[in-house]
mmCIF file of all heavy atoms in Angstrom:
data_model
loop_
_atom_site.group_PDB
_atom_site.id
_atom_site.type_symbol
_atom_site.label_atom_id
_atom_site.label_comp_id
_atom_site.label_asym_id
_atom_site.label_seq_id
_atom_site.Cartn_x
_atom_site.Cartn_y
_atom_site.Cartn_z
ATOM 1 N N THR A 258 -11.609 7.090 31.179
ATOM 2 C CA THR A 258 -10.329 7.537 31.689
ATOM 3 C C THR A 258 -10.546 8.432 32.899
ATOM 4 O O THR A 258 -11.626 8.988 33.079
ATOM 5 C CB THR A 258 -9.518 8.255 30.589
ATOM 6 O OG1 THR A 258 -8.186 8.474 31.075
ATOM 7 C CG2 THR A 258 -10.123 9.596 30.215
ATOM 8 N N ILE A 304 -6.057 3.510 25.251
ATOM 9 C CA ILE A 304 -6.159 4.165 23.937
ATOM 10 C C ILE A 304 -4.986 3.775 23.032
ATOM 11 O O ILE A 304 -5.146 3.643 21.819
ATOM 12 C CB ILE A 304 -6.255 5.706 24.073
ATOM 13 C CG1 ILE A 304 -6.605 6.366 22.731
ATOM 14 C CG2 ILE A 304 -4.975 6.296 24.629
ATOM 15 C CD1 ILE A 304 -7.975 6.141 22.229
ATOM 16 N N THR A 305 -3.802 3.564 23.600
ATOM 17 C CA THR A 305 -2.648 3.219 22.770
ATOM 18 C C THR A 305 -2.920 1.944 21.973
ATOM 19 O O THR A 305 -2.591 1.850 20.790
ATOM 20 C CB THR A 305 -1.389 3.046 23.646
ATOM 21 O OG1 THR A 305 -1.255 4.202 24.471
ATOM 22 C CG2 THR A 305 -0.142 2.904 22.796
ATOM 23 N N SER A 379 8.135 5.555 22.288
ATOM 24 C CA SER A 379 7.878 5.684 23.717
ATOM 25 C C SER A 379 6.559 6.424 23.898
ATOM 26 O O SER A 379 6.259 7.363 23.163
ATOM 27 C CB SER A 379 9.023 6.470 24.359
ATOM 28 O OG SER A 379 8.711 6.804 25.697
ATOM 29 N N VAL A 380 5.781 6.023 24.880
ATOM 30 C CA VAL A 380 4.476 6.648 25.098
ATOM 31 C C VAL A 380 4.000 6.495 26.533
ATOM 32 O O VAL A 380 4.357 5.537 27.206
ATOM 33 C CB VAL A 380 3.407 6.011 24.168
ATOM 34 C CG1 VAL A 380 3.227 4.530 24.432
ATOM 35 C CG2 VAL A 380 2.054 6.720 24.300
ATOM 36 N N GLY A 381 3.228 7.441 26.975
ATOM 37 C CA GLY A 381 2.493 7.295 28.227
ATOM 38 C C GLY A 381 2.929 8.215 29.330
ATOM 39 O O GLY A 381 2.162 8.551 30.219
ATOM 40 N N GLU A 382 4.170 8.638 29.313
ATOM 41 C CA GLU A 382 4.689 9.498 30.371
ATOM 42 C C GLU A 382 6.004 10.085 29.856
ATOM 43 O O GLU A 382 6.558 9.584 28.877
ATOM 44 C CB GLU A 382 4.940 8.681 31.646
ATOM 45 C CG GLU A 382 5.757 7.465 31.353
ATOM 46 C CD GLU A 382 6.118 6.644 32.574
ATOM 47 O OE1 GLU A 382 6.528 7.232 33.586
ATOM 48 O OE2 GLU A 382 6.039 5.419 32.475
ATOM 49 N N PRO A 383 6.501 11.086 30.533
ATOM 50 C CA PRO A 383 7.785 11.630 30.089
ATOM 51 C C PRO A 383 8.863 10.543 30.190
ATOM 52 O O PRO A 383 8.880 9.783 31.158
ATOM 53 C CB PRO A 383 8.058 12.748 31.101
ATOM 54 C CG PRO A 383 6.718 13.085 31.692
ATOM 55 C CD PRO A 383 5.936 11.817 31.668
ATOM 56 N N ILE A 384 9.704 10.443 29.185
ATOM 57 C CA ILE A 384 10.809 9.470 29.272
ATOM 58 C C ILE A 384 12.038 10.230 29.773
ATOM 59 O O ILE A 384 12.415 11.265 29.211
ATOM 60 C CB ILE A 384 11.062 8.728 27.940
ATOM 61 C CG1 ILE A 384 12.214 7.732 28.096
ATOM 62 C CG2 ILE A 384 11.265 9.665 26.765
ATOM 63 C CD1 ILE A 384 12.309 6.702 26.980
ATOM 64 N N ASP A 405 9.314 9.938 20.640
ATOM 65 C CA ASP A 405 8.722 10.182 21.967
ATOM 66 C C ASP A 405 7.367 10.828 21.690
ATOM 67 O O ASP A 405 7.289 12.000 21.332
ATOM 68 C CB ASP A 405 9.651 11.116 22.757
ATOM 69 C CG ASP A 405 9.096 11.456 24.135
ATOM 70 O OD1 ASP A 405 7.943 11.092 24.446
ATOM 71 O OD2 ASP A 405 9.827 12.112 24.905
ATOM 72 N N THR A 406 6.310 10.030 21.823
ATOM 73 C CA THR A 406 4.995 10.434 21.346
ATOM 74 C C THR A 406 4.115 10.934 22.479
ATOM 75 O O THR A 406 3.681 10.167 23.321
ATOM 76 C CB THR A 406 4.299 9.247 20.654
ATOM 77 O OG1 THR A 406 4.076 8.206 21.621
ATOM 78 C CG2 THR A 406 5.150 8.689 19.518
ATOM 79 N N TRP A 407 3.834 12.217 22.473
ATOM 80 C CA TRP A 407 2.914 12.757 23.478
ATOM 81 C C TRP A 407 1.496 12.804 22.925
ATOM 82 O O TRP A 407 1.278 13.334 21.816
ATOM 83 C CB TRP A 407 3.313 14.166 23.931
ATOM 84 C CG TRP A 407 2.238 14.718 24.833
ATOM 85 C CD1 TRP A 407 2.092 14.479 26.170
ATOM 86 C CD2 TRP A 407 1.118 15.529 24.448
ATOM 87 N NE1 TRP A 407 0.946 15.093 26.631
ATOM 88 C CE2 TRP A 407 0.333 15.745 25.603
ATOM 89 C CE3 TRP A 407 0.697 16.086 23.241
ATOM 90 C CZ2 TRP A 407 -0.845 16.496 25.599
ATOM 91 C CZ3 TRP A 407 -0.480 16.834 23.216
ATOM 92 C CH2 TRP A 407 -1.232 17.042 24.398
ATOM 93 N N TRP A 408 0.574 12.261 23.677
ATOM 94 C CA TRP A 408 -0.852 12.359 23.334
ATOM 95 C C TRP A 408 -1.669 11.870 24.516
ATOM 96 O O TRP A 408 -1.132 11.624 25.584
ATOM 97 C CB TRP A 408 -1.174 11.598 22.045
ATOM 98 C CG TRP A 408 -0.831 10.122 22.012
ATOM 99 C CD1 TRP A 408 0.401 9.552 22.144
ATOM 100 C CD2 TRP A 408 -1.745 9.042 21.826
ATOM 101 N NE1 TRP A 408 0.306 8.182 22.029
ATOM 102 C CE2 TRP A 408 -0.998 7.841 21.833
ATOM 103 C CE3 TRP A 408 -3.126 8.957 21.615
ATOM 104 C CZ2 TRP A 408 -1.581 6.582 21.659
ATOM 105 C CZ3 TRP A 408 -3.695 7.703 21.436
ATOM 106 C CH2 TRP A 408 -2.924 6.536 21.469
ATOM 107 N N GLN A 409 -2.978 11.766 24.338
ATOM 108 C CA GLN A 409 -3.887 11.431 25.435
ATOM 109 C C GLN A 409 -5.073 10.631 24.901
ATOM 110 O O GLN A 409 -5.352 10.677 23.700
ATOM 111 C CB GLN A 409 -4.457 12.717 26.055
ATOM 112 C CG GLN A 409 -3.439 13.775 26.383
ATOM 113 C CD GLN A 409 -4.086 15.032 26.937
ATOM 114 O OE1 GLN A 409 -4.850 15.697 26.249
ATOM 115 N NE2 GLN A 409 -3.783 15.353 28.187
ATOM 116 N N THR A 410 -5.774 9.985 25.814
ATOM 117 C CA THR A 410 -7.008 9.284 25.444
ATOM 118 C C THR A 410 -7.912 10.233 24.649
ATOM 119 O O THR A 410 -8.513 9.849 23.647
ATOM 120 C CB THR A 410 -7.742 8.821 26.719
ATOM 121 O OG1 THR A 410 -6.845 8.032 27.497
ATOM 122 C CG2 THR A 410 -8.978 8.002 26.380
ATOM 123 N N GLU A 411 -7.979 11.469 25.083
ATOM 124 C CA GLU A 411 -8.878 12.450 24.487
ATOM 125 C C GLU A 411 -8.433 12.904 23.102
ATOM 126 O O GLU A 411 -9.231 13.475 22.359
ATOM 127 C CB GLU A 411 -8.949 13.701 25.384
ATOM 128 C CG GLU A 411 -9.606 13.473 26.730
ATOM 129 C CD GLU A 411 -8.642 12.960 27.801
ATOM 130 O OE1 GLU A 411 -7.519 12.528 27.438
ATOM 131 O OE2 GLU A 411 -9.003 12.993 28.981
ATOM 132 N N THR A 493 -5.048 20.531 27.959
ATOM 133 C CA THR A 493 -4.595 19.144 28.067
ATOM 134 C C THR A 493 -4.445 18.655 29.506
ATOM 135 O O THR A 493 -4.411 17.457 29.741
ATOM 136 C CB THR A 493 -3.202 18.995 27.413
ATOM 137 O OG1 THR A 493 -2.271 19.796 28.178
ATOM 138 C CG2 THR A 493 -3.205 19.467 25.965
ATOM 139 N N ASP A 495 -1.667 19.155 31.018
ATOM 140 C CA ASP A 495 -0.229 18.934 31.151
ATOM 141 C C ASP A 495 0.548 20.247 31.228
ATOM 142 O O ASP A 495 0.177 21.235 30.589
ATOM 143 C CB ASP A 495 0.314 18.147 29.946
ATOM 144 C CG ASP A 495 0.066 16.657 30.081
ATOM 145 O OD1 ASP A 495 0.199 16.128 31.199
ATOM 146 O OD2 ASP A 495 -0.287 16.021 29.069
ATOM 147 N N ILE A 507 7.122 17.682 27.569
ATOM 148 C CA ILE A 507 5.986 17.614 28.493
ATOM 149 C C ILE A 507 6.525 17.237 29.865
ATOM 150 O O ILE A 507 7.286 16.273 30.010
ATOM 151 C CB ILE A 507 4.928 16.605 27.998
ATOM 152 C CG1 ILE A 507 4.104 17.199 26.843
ATOM 153 C CG2 ILE A 507 3.926 16.279 29.086
ATOM 154 C CD1 ILE A 507 4.751 17.335 25.553
ATOM 155 N N GLY A 509 4.556 16.857 32.762
ATOM 156 C CA GLY A 509 3.646 16.079 33.614
ATOM 157 C C GLY A 509 2.371 16.840 33.906
ATOM 158 O O GLY A 509 2.228 18.003 33.523
ATOM 159 N N ARG A 510 1.452 16.162 34.585
ATOM 160 C CA ARG A 510 0.125 16.735 34.825
ATOM 161 C C ARG A 510 0.204 17.919 35.785
ATOM 162 O O ARG A 510 1.011 17.925 36.708
ATOM 163 C CB ARG A 510 -0.803 15.675 35.426
ATOM 164 C CG ARG A 510 -0.920 14.407 34.616
ATOM 165 C CD ARG A 510 -1.719 14.519 33.372
ATOM 166 N NE ARG A 510 -3.034 15.079 33.545
ATOM 167 C CZ ARG A 510 -4.003 14.979 32.626
ATOM 168 N NH1 ARG A 510 -3.784 14.335 31.484
ATOM 169 N NH2 ARG A 510 -5.169 15.526 32.833
ATOM 170 N N ASN A 516 0.086 9.712 37.006
ATOM 171 C CA ASN A 516 0.456 8.859 35.889
ATOM 172 C C ASN A 516 1.356 7.766 36.454
ATOM 173 O O ASN A 516 2.551 7.948 36.638
ATOM 174 C CB ASN A 516 1.169 9.691 34.826
ATOM 175 C CG ASN A 516 1.357 8.911 33.550
ATOM 176 O OD1 ASN A 516 1.526 7.692 33.571
ATOM 177 N ND2 ASN A 516 1.332 9.595 32.427
ATOM 178 N N GLY A 519 2.443 4.847 33.373
ATOM 179 C CA GLY A 519 1.762 5.212 32.137
ATOM 180 C C GLY A 519 0.251 5.065 32.201
ATOM 181 O O GLY A 519 -0.436 5.281 31.213
ATOM 182 N N ARG A 521 -3.307 6.376 33.799
ATOM 183 C CA ARG A 521 -3.839 7.580 34.407
ATOM 184 C C ARG A 521 -4.766 7.231 35.569
ATOM 185 O O ARG A 521 -5.697 6.460 35.418
ATOM 186 C CB ARG A 521 -4.609 8.354 33.362
ATOM 187 C CG ARG A 521 -4.694 9.820 33.698
ATOM 188 C CD ARG A 521 -5.809 10.438 32.977
ATOM 189 N NE ARG A 521 -5.579 10.536 31.554
ATOM 190 C CZ ARG A 521 -6.366 11.287 30.794
ATOM 191 N NH1 ARG A 521 -7.363 11.952 31.319
ATOM 192 N NH2 ARG A 521 -6.144 11.346 29.506
HETATM 193 C C1 LIG B 701 -1.248 11.606 29.734
HETATM 194 C C2 LIG B 701 -2.331 10.929 28.945
HETATM 195 C C3 LIG B 701 -1.947 8.384 25.081
HETATM 196 C C4 LIG B 701 -0.926 7.512 25.539
HETATM 197 C C5 LIG B 701 -1.193 6.729 26.769
HETATM 198 C C6 LIG B 701 -1.565 7.535 27.987
HETATM 199 C C7 LIG B 701 1.078 11.644 29.688
HETATM 200 C C8 LIG B 701 1.538 10.561 27.451
HETATM 201 C C9 LIG B 701 3.554 11.242 27.030
HETATM 202 C C10 LIG B 701 4.867 11.567 26.559
HETATM 203 C C11 LIG B 701 5.145 12.915 28.444
HETATM 204 C C12 LIG B 701 3.147 11.805 28.252
HETATM 205 C C13 LIG B 701 0.559 13.062 29.712
HETATM 206 C C14 LIG B 701 -0.846 12.929 29.163
HETATM 207 N N1 LIG B 701 1.879 11.353 28.492
HETATM 208 N N2 LIG B 701 2.545 10.475 26.575
HETATM 209 N N3 LIG B 701 5.366 11.064 25.417
HETATM 210 N N4 LIG B 701 5.617 12.408 27.304
HETATM 211 N N5 LIG B 701 3.930 12.640 28.949
HETATM 212 O O1 LIG B 701 -2.847 8.035 27.790
HETATM 213 O O2 LIG B 701 -3.981 7.689 29.999
HETATM 214 O O3 LIG B 701 -4.829 9.358 28.320
HETATM 215 O O4 LIG B 701 -2.715 9.761 29.627
HETATM 216 O O5 LIG B 701 -0.070 10.803 29.709
HETATM 217 O O6 LIG B 701 0.530 13.521 31.024
HETATM 218 O O7 LIG B 701 -1.713 13.956 29.569
HETATM 219 P P1 LIG B 701 -3.672 8.694 28.951
#
Side-chain angles (χ1 to χ4, degrees):
T258 190
I304 190 70
T305 309
S379 171
V380 61
E382 51 177 315
I384 180 165
D405 178 353
T406 64
W407 173 83
W408 57 299
Q409 311 178 296
T410 305
E411 293 86 346
T493 64
D495 279 321
I507 284 73
R510 305 287 308 196
N516 190 328
R521 204 200 290 193

